Amino acid sequence: MNDRIGVPGDYQTPEQFIPSGIPTKGVRFNAVDTSIQQQLKADRSQAGGFSALETCMTINDTWAYNMHDREFKSAQFLIRGLVEVASRGGNFPA
């Protein structure tokens, strides 16, 4: 269960940004609010206490098909995002 319905879930789901660190249990994302970045850990050196992560990102500016939305993110941005999120143990559906 994810946290998108407003209650704590099994994993965190920040939207449209890549967290600068690894979320820990007790740190809750509020979708697109990036101010949470200060509470994140930089690495996984400590055992336990970390929360699962799934960064939700679109490949353009809309969540659904829109034939007029041509603002695609670059392949470089998406690949680097995948590497960053995966290196923190997260999932990166785009």
Side-chain angles (χ1 to χ4, degrees):
M1 178 175 78
N2 65 40
D3 63 348
R4 290 188 192 132
I5 60 171
V7 297
D10 298 330
Y11 58 97
Q12 302 288 330
T13 57
E15 295 180 4
Q16 297 295 63
F17 75 95
I18 297 170
S20 61
I22 302 166
T24 56
K25 293 179 181 171
V27 174
R28 292 187 58 202
F29 285 91
N30 183 10
V32 297
D33 180 10
T34 60
S35 66
I36 197 75
Q37 303 270 41
Q38 299 139 5
Q39 299 177 36
L40 304 176
K41 302 287 183 191
D43 60 36
R44 285 187 176 262
S45 58
Q46 296 176 331
F50 293 103
S51 179
L53 168 68
E54 178 177 277
T55 297
C56 303
M57 181 82 60
T58 59
I59 60 172
N60 54 12
D61 288 336
T62 55
W63 288 102
Y65 175 74
N66 181 340
M67 64 188 263
H68 302 291
D69 185 359
R70 296 294 194 200
E71 298 298 319
F72 293 101
K73 294 173 177 79
S74 70
Q76 180 180 14
F77 175 84
L78 293 171
I79 292 168
R80 283 187 178 188
L82 173 63
V83 170
E84 282 186 45
V85 173
S87 72
R88 295 180 185 119
N91 187 26
F92 187 69

